[in-house]
Amino acid sequence: MSEMKLFVSDGNPHCLKVLAVAELTGVKCDICHASDDERLVPFLSHPVRPVLLLPCGQHLFKANPICLYFLEVSGRDVCDLTSQWLEWEAAELQPALMQALYQCVLLGKMTEAANTLEGHLTYMEQRLSKGATPFLAAEEATVVDIVLWAALYPLLSNSSFLPDKLQCVARWFEQVNALPVCQTVAQRVQQQKSLESLKRFLQKQPLPPARCRNAPLCN
Amino acid sequence: NMALMELASLEKSLGFKKANKYSTQGNNKTPILQSNKGAPLIGLVTIASHLVQEAAQPELLGRTAEQRAVVRQWLEYRVTQLDGCPKEDIRSILKELNQYLEDKVYLAGSDFTLADILLYYGVHHIMADLSVQEKEQHMNLSRWFDHIQHYPGIRQHLPLVVVLRNRLYTGGHH
């Protein structure tokens, strides 16, 4: 297990995911900070982070599969509900989230960012209010909560971001945020001047979809 | 809806006698499987993985934790990078897949998995549009694609894409 290497970079919410899940599951791996421009995965056209170099020499280059790998290595199974939330996070939430981060962090338009995410956050609100459990998939926090916490952290850690009507999401975020694993990882990130590094991360991403790009850049 | 056709094909390849009923939600037309045993399942990857389990063929999800991670990664690649990929980015996806498959029979190495099935479904329309020369430029991808489309029971409703096994064009055009 000690042969595993996890490459992360500052300001990247996907790295926050894998660091927090490594903490949650107690899986040991060498954590290496690598410059964002260094290509670690030979077949990919663009450098990505995080990257997990497996003992067999294969690279994992997607955060959610890395999180689920940590979960399995720590002896837990991946159930349908976990898979469903992580698929939603990657396929549905991420495109909107990248646009919202772009609007909020690079353009300084918080209201627009909140509008961009409204549908997705409302979906979470409905799931939480109808669900029988305080967390997204169980009575206690699981990998699902950690992944979504990390993804939304740059926006929701600003308590004025969420509209008042999304009370369940607000309460959920507060609870997950207070977990020791999240605190530990968030503090580590804070020390690295999170906003500046998040800006650098966003500037290196492909531009969000045209409808956002075409929005006037001036206020 | 492409995802629903894929799920129907997958059910047939897995040997399901009776087809499940699906609906979709949202702008992306995300598939939903209404199960009689509880909450509905949402999302192509989640439903496909569930069907594989139900068909008692868990090896299609990978035999080890490492292999399962690689399978999940390519399933995520399929729904996040390949689906809805703008035209100008298709080249870079073909290039990545071609390079990745350089030394592999299947996406997860030497074992055929669900990742091969869903990626095959996902790139089918792209491969069908490539010229003979473009297919030759992506030789590893074409070889893998041809292998999967001939894999027993996988192609189902999809038309066969002609992949020449002997090179027509020579020279290092890349």
Side-chain angles (χ1 to χ4, degrees):
Chain A
M1 229 39 81
S2 58
E3 296 160 66
M4 275 200 290
K5 271 192 168 170
L6 180 63
F7 296 90
V8 292
S9 61
D10 298 342
N12 178 335
H14 299 289
C15 294
L16 192 60
K17 286 182 188 173
V18 295
L19 290 171
V21 174
E23 201 68 34
L24 176 82
T25 54
V27 171
K28 297 267 170 288
C29 50
D30 289 342
I31 294 169
C32 316
H33 285 262
S35 132
D36 269 335
D37 309 317
E38 202 181 324
R39 267 180 49 180
L40 298 169
V41 188
F43 52 87
L44 291 184
S45 344
H46 307 286
V48 290
R49 298 289 180 277
V51 169
L52 181 68
L53 179 58
L54 292 170
C56 63
Q58 279 245 53
H59 293 92
L60 292 181
F61 58 90
K62 292 225 169 259
N64 294 2
I66 294 176
C67 291
L68 294 183
Y69 176 69
F70 287 162
L71 193 73
E72 286 207 328
V73 169
S74 71
R76 274 162 279 193
D77 287 333
V78 178
C79 66
D80 282 342
L81 189 56
T82 299
S83 155
Q84 179 170 314
W85 271 113
L86 295 202
E87 181 176 359
W88 179 81
E89 194 274 339
E92 314 262 343
L93 177 65
Q94 275 301 330
L97 190 56
M98 287 309 292
Q99 192 176 335
L101 282 170
Y102 184 82
Q103 290 166 323
C104 185
V105 179
L106 294 184
L107 308 182
K109 296 184 170 179
M110 195 164 88
T111 320
E112 282 185 17
N115 289 341
T116 301
L117 275 188
E118 197 188 347
H120 294 86
L121 294 175
T122 305
Y123 177 75
M124 287 178 69
E125 178 78 14
Q126 285 164 352
R127 284 315 196 85
L128 285 164
S129 66
K130 278 191 220 149
T133 57
F135 292 99
L136 289 167
E139 284 294 333
E140 51 196 51
T142 66
V143 65
V144 170
D145 301 286
I146 306 287
V147 164
L148 280 155
W149 165 81
L152 294 166
Y153 182 81
L155 294 174
L156 298 198
S157 53
N158 174 352
S159 57
S160 56
F161 183 84
L162 274 179
D164 291 340
K165 58 181 179 183
L166 301 178
Q167 280 184 12
C168 297
V169 177
R171 207 177 316 125
W172 163 84
F173 184 80
E174 227 170 83
Q175 276 179 304
V176 183
N177 197 43
L179 294 171
V181 287
C182 296
Q183 283 297 306
T184 310
V185 179
Q187 267 163 21
R188 231 185 277 162
V189 173
Q190 292 268 314
Q191 286 160 1
Q192 294 155 353
K193 298 191 205 100
S194 60
L195 188 63
E196 281 313 305
S197 31
L198 176 63
K199 277 187 184 164
R200 274 198 302 277
F201 163 73
L202 289 170
Q203 277 157 349
K204 280 176 192 153
Q205 300 308 301
L207 284 173
R211 63 196 145 105
C212 169
R213 231 184 297 161
N214 294 342
L217 284 172
C218 52
N219 280 308
Chain B
N1 181 305
M2 207 173 98
L4 297 195
M5 277 171 76
E6 280 184 58
L7 287 168
S9 297
L10 180 66
E11 286 181 2
K12 282 187 204 148
S13 0
L14 292 172
F16 281 59
K17 295 260 151 37
K18 205 164 148 269
N20 282 306
K21 283 218 166 61
Y22 297 97
S23 51
T24 60
Q25 75 174 21
N27 294 338
N28 298 346
K29 300 248 183 288
T30 308
I32 307 179
L33 171 61
Q34 203 70 50
S35 88
N36 42 14
K37 281 180 281 189
L41 286 177
I42 310 169
L44 179 65
V45 170
T46 302
I47 296 173
S49 309
H50 175 82
L51 294 176
V52 164
Q53 294 279 12
E54 218 172 61
Q57 298 182 40
E59 68 280 1
L60 285 177
L61 300 177
R63 293 168 195 275
T64 61
E66 290 193 357
Q67 205 178 39
R68 281 191 289 279
V70 173
V71 170
R72 282 196 194 104
Q73 161 166 290
W74 288 108
L75 292 174
E76 186 176 315
Y77 187 92
R78 153 71 212 268
V79 291
T80 59
Q81 255 140 300
L82 189 59
D83 291 356
C85 166
K87 263 214 158 69
E88 62 268 26
D89 292 348
I90 287 180
R91 304 250 131 235
S92 122
I93 290 200
L94 294 179
K95 211 176 142 212
E96 287 183 353
L97 289 171
N98 188 57
Q99 198 164 347
Y100 177 74
L101 288 164
E102 190 176 13
D103 55 355
K104 290 175 190 70
V105 181
Y106 300 110
L107 287 166
S110 51
D111 296 309
F112 174 78
T113 65
L114 183 63
D116 296 297
I117 305 178
L118 290 199
L119 215 72
Y120 159 70
Y121 290 153
V123 296
H124 186 278
H125 67 286
I126 299 173
M127 294 301 287
D129 282 348
L130 291 187
S131 67
V132 175
Q133 191 169 6
E134 285 169 316
K135 278 182 259 189
E136 279 194 6
Q137 280 165 17
H138 302 94
M139 220 169 48
N140 309 314
L141 173 62
S142 299
R143 170 185 39 79
W144 165 85
F145 183 87
D146 198 39
H147 191 160
I148 305 302
Q149 70 174 354
H150 286 100
Y151 200 93
I154 298 304
R155 189 167 60 86
Q156 298 290 339
H157 67 281
L158 290 168
L160 199 67
V161 174
V162 178
V163 177
L164 295 175
R165 290 170 195 210
N166 299 309
R167 297 194 74 121
L168 277 189
Y169 298 88
T170 47
H173 188 102
H174 272 274

